[in-house]
Amino acid sequence: YYYCVVSAEDAVPVYSIISTVTVTERELQVDVSSGYEYTYQGIIIQEDGNYRISMITPGATTGHSIMIAPGVTAELTLDGVSMDKSGVNLSPMVLEAGAEVTLILEGENALIADAKGGAIEGVNDVSTAGIAVPEGSALTISAQSSGSLNACGGPYGAGIGGHILSEVDFMD
């Protein structure tokens, strides 16, 4: 399967031998017009800034993700966001190395990772975190938050943090 996003302004005749094309609709909305990209996988925040993300259809759940690019510093408000990546071995939110995020929660938010378990490079039953925060990145949940967060990792993944194969450096 191939995924693509098509808008009316991008429309051109397409000839293909691909048997199945799935057009992915945007399920998450962002309150700014730049600094991010919406791909078939979800939102990639590429520039420092303040972002508010909510569901286009309140109460719906999406299989899309939010990724914060390496080195980006962002204040991110989640307002009633529900993401479920069960069965695909991916985290709903990923901070890349060097990313720093201050998270503000409004409404009820749920970030559910691979609750069914999956495989990473041939290792069975290794799953991801609800919010993946690898070494070298930082996540702060703001005291300004008025909402809640259910961050659920898979059987061997943290709600917030890493998974069983993550490298952990315990400080003395």
Side-chain angles (χ1 to χ4, degrees), residues 10-29:
D10 296 330
V12 293
V14 177
Y15 302 95
S16 176
I17 58 170
I18 300 171
S19 60
T20 304
V21 175
T22 302
V23 177
T24 301
E25 295 184 25
R26 293 181 182 215
E27 297 171 340
L28 297 165
Q29 60 187 7

Side-chain angles (χ1 to χ4, degrees), residues 65-121:
S65 296
I66 299 170
M67 186 190 86
I68 313 328
V72 168
T73 299
E75 181 177 282
L76 179 61
T77 300
L78 296 184
D79 185 2
V81 171
S82 180
M83 296 185 289
D84 190 337
K85 302 297 283 187
S86 294
V88 295
N89 208 28
L90 297 171
S91 293
M93 182 182 291
V94 177
L95 281 64
E96 294 289 338
E100 295 183 15
V101 172
T102 299
L103 190 61
I104 299 173
L105 304 168
E106 294 185 5
E108 294 181 11
N109 299 279
L111 305 179
I112 310 301
D114 184 20
K116 296 179 183 175
I120 296 178
E121 298 177 11

